[in-house]
């Protein structure tokens, strides 16, 4: 799931504070003061502290952490909804680099209308309008003429499977369908950057899982740059090319799901990932016995094949009720093998990590 495109959004030493004379609290941030200490000494609320992060073109970057960790504040700095106290956010979608804090009001409106779209947790739909009118609302505000707007709306409704509901009132739809309308509206603008602030958290687990799958399918076709906020670890690991974990306003670790699970940066991250399902993260390359340690004798029965980045959860069905092994290969070269023993050992290692404190 790695993405190596150019940077589209860059956070450079970004601090966001709320309250009168917010800048007075900056020296306390630099001294390592906690959010509670800053609030007690200055009356200022810390949102984000010294955040550095580059988000690449075409990737899904997930900001995650517990409630109050700063993830929603950070994402809102991308379109200027959260004012940056120190540092800067640079947005470059190919139309010139923009700093939402420093640009003109007209340029900021252009950024919000054409370059950065947002999907909220509470769908923010207009209940008195139809589905198609909701999807086309952003285009309407941008002055797109009715015929082009209608064509764009229908394309997006077909993408999210709601073409038959175009003339329905949004109040007639289920929660999951309403969130699809929100997705279609964001995609309809053709904005290259999509901000998603816990968009599925209010939905029941089955609908949530289905929408996650649909988002990944849409992303495979449209290749947006998506910044996704979540407090759910499994969701973050399923969707994110990279994940930034936040605590108390600070980004404490950034990396792939495998980086974070296998090499947690501190006790907070280790505790965060300790009880997650390793099948959601581990890959064939993580659990296989390499060829140079497995001998040259081929297995008597081959249950299937996989690449090194194949998720472990996709390998288990091939092994279920099967005495064979899965062969791991890249470009025609066999790298290793996976059988029941490798699966058990990998799960046992993760269980031991969950039970032991992080070594310092």
């Amino acid at each position: 799931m790695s993405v190596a495109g150019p940077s589209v959004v860059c956070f450079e030493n970004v601090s966001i504070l709320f309250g009168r004379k917010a800048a007075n609290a900056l020296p306390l941030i630099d001294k390592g003061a906690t959010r509670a200490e800053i609030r007690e000494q200055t009356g200022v609320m810390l949102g984000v502290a010294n955040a550095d992060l580059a988000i690449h073109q075409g990737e899904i970057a997930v900001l995650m952490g517990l409630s109050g960790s700063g993830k929603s504040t950070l994402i809102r700095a991308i379109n200027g909804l959260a004012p940056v106290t120190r540092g800067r956010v640079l947005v470059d979608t190919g139309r010139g680099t923009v700093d939402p804090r420093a640009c003109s009001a007209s340029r900021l409106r252009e950024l919000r209308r054409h370059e950065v779209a947002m999907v909220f947790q509470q769908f923010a739909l207009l209940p008195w309008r139809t589905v198609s009118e909701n999807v086309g609302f952003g285009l309407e505000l941008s002055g797109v003429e009715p015929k082009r707007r209608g064509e764009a709306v229908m394309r997006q409704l077909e993408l999210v499977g709601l073409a038959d509901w175009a003339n329905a009132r949004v109040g007639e739809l289920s929660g999951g369908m309403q969130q699809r309308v929100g997705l279609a509206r964001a995609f309809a603008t053709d904005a290259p950057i999509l901000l998603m602030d816990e968009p599925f958290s209010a939905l029941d687990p089955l609908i949530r899982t289905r929408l996650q799958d649909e988002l990944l399918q849409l992303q495979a076709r449209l290749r947006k740059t998506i910044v996704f906020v979540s407090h759910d670890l499994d969701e973050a690991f399923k969707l994110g090319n990279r994940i930034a974990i936040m605590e108390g306003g600070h980004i404490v670790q950034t990396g792939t799901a495998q980086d974070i699970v296998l090499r947690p940066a501190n006790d907070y991250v280790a505790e965060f990932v300790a009880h997650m399902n390793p099948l959601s993260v581990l890959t064939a390359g993580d659990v296989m016995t390499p060829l140079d340690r497995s001998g040259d004798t081929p297995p008597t029965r081959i249950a299937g094949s996989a690449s090194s980045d194949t998720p472990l959860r996709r390998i288990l069905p091939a092994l279920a009720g099967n005495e064979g092994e899965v062969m791991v290969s890249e470009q025609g070269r066999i790298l290793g093998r996976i059988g029941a023993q490798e699966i058990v050992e990998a799960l046992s290692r993760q269980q031991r990590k969950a039970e032991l404190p992080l070594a310092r």
Side-chain angles (χ1 to χ4, degrees):
M1 292 179 67
S2 62
V3 173
S7 296
V8 175
V9 178
C10 288
F11 297 95
E12 297 182 351
N13 194 37
V14 170
S15 293
I16 301 173
L17 300 113
F18 302 97
R20 296 179 59 188
K21 300 181 179 179
N24 292 346
L26 292 173
L28 293 176
I29 292 179
D30 297 337
K31 292 178 181 178
T34 65
R35 174 177 285 161
E37 291 169 340
I38 291 172
R39 182 69 180 271
E40 181 180 352
Q41 295 181 43
T42 67
V44 171
M45 175 60 71
L46 171 64
V48 174
N50 298 339
D52 287 298
L53 180 65
I55 297 170
H56 303 296
Q57 182 178 346
E59 79 172 331
I60 301 179
V62 179
L63 305 177
M64 73 165 304
L66 302 176
S67 296
S69 61
K71 54 192 186 297
S72 291
T73 300
L74 188 60
I75 197 176
R76 281 166 167 76
I78 297 173
N79 60 0
L81 292 180
V84 173
T85 308
R86 179 175 67 184
R88 60 181 184 169
V89 180
L90 299 178
V91 182
D92 185 0
T93 61
R95 304 175 65 182
T97 301
V98 180
D99 179 349
R101 181 181 68 163
C103 69
S104 66
S106 61
R107 184 65 183 91
L108 183 58
R109 284 194 299 272
E110 184 180 359
L111 180 78
R112 291 172 176 172
R113 287 182 179 179
H114 302 293
E115 297 170 75
V116 179
M118 194 161 192
V119 180
F120 298 93
Q121 176 182 345
Q122 303 301 328
F123 316 124
L125 302 177
L126 306 175
W128 60 88
R129 289 193 168 208
T130 65
V131 168
S132 61
E133 288 170 342
N134 269 275
V135 172
F137 185 61
L139 298 175
E140 181 182 341
L141 291 178
S142 299
V144 176
E145 55 94 10
K147 182 179 179 181
R148 282 185 53 217
R149 188 165 73 235
E151 292 170 351
V153 166
M154 286 310 300
R155 282 197 303 270
Q156 298 308 319
L157 287 178
E158 288 170 1
L159 273 176
V160 299
L162 289 177
D164 292 340
W165 295 82
N167 296 318
R169 300 286 178 181
V170 292
E172 301 173 22
L173 307 185
S174 66
M177 293 172 75
Q178 288 184 24
Q179 193 59 294
R180 286 188 196 173
V181 175
L183 281 175
R185 181 171 62 188
F187 280 116
T189 64
D190 277 336
I193 299 174
L194 182 58
L195 310 182
M196 306 187 72
D197 191 358
E198 302 207 48
F200 307 144
S201 62
L203 304 174
D204 68 68
L206 183 61
I207 297 298
R208 184 174 186 167
T209 298
R210 187 177 304 158
L211 282 173
Q212 290 166 357
D213 292 338
E214 290 176 0
L215 176 62
L216 290 173
Q217 292 168 12
L218 285 170
Q219 175 66 353
R221 296 174 61 180
L222 301 176
R223 303 304 297 168
K224 302 279 188 179
T225 300
I226 299 176
V227 188
F228 192 104
V229 167
S230 179
H231 65 269
D232 182 271
L233 197 65
D234 288 325
E235 179 174 72
F237 284 6
K238 178 178 181 178
L239 297 179
N241 300 105
R242 287 186 307 133
I243 300 161
I245 296 186
M246 300 189 68
E247 178 191 19
H250 296 265
I251 296 177
V252 295
Q253 186 170 1
T254 303
T256 65
Q258 288 83 1
D259 291 334
I260 290 169
V261 169
L262 300 177
R263 293 172 289 278
N266 58 22
D267 287 336
Y268 172 78
V269 178
E271 184 175 353
F272 216 103
V273 303
H275 302 292
M276 75 158 298
N277 182 355
L279 298 181
S280 301
V281 177
L282 295 177
T283 65
D286 295 325
V287 305
M288 72 178 185
T289 296
L291 185 64
D292 58 2
R293 294 210 309 268
S294 63
D296 295 327
T297 304
T300 56
R301 188 172 181 183
I302 297 177
S305 62
S307 61
S308 59
D309 61 354
T310 299
L312 187 56
R313 66 178 183 274
R314 295 182 184 172
I315 293 174
L316 290 181
L319 294 174
N322 217 321
E323 296 181 358
E325 295 179 310
V326 169
M327 307 307 292
V328 182
S329 61
E330 292 289 350
Q331 298 179 343
R333 185 170 66 92
I334 297 178
L335 304 178
R337 59 210 299 173
I338 300 173
Q341 179 178 343
E342 282 78 12
I343 300 292
V344 171
E345 288 177 352
L347 296 180
S348 297
R349 284 195 299 271
Q350 290 303 117
Q351 181 62 34
R352 289 194 294 272
K353 286 183 179 181
E355 294 172 349
L356 295 174
L358 182 68
R360 293 187 180 278

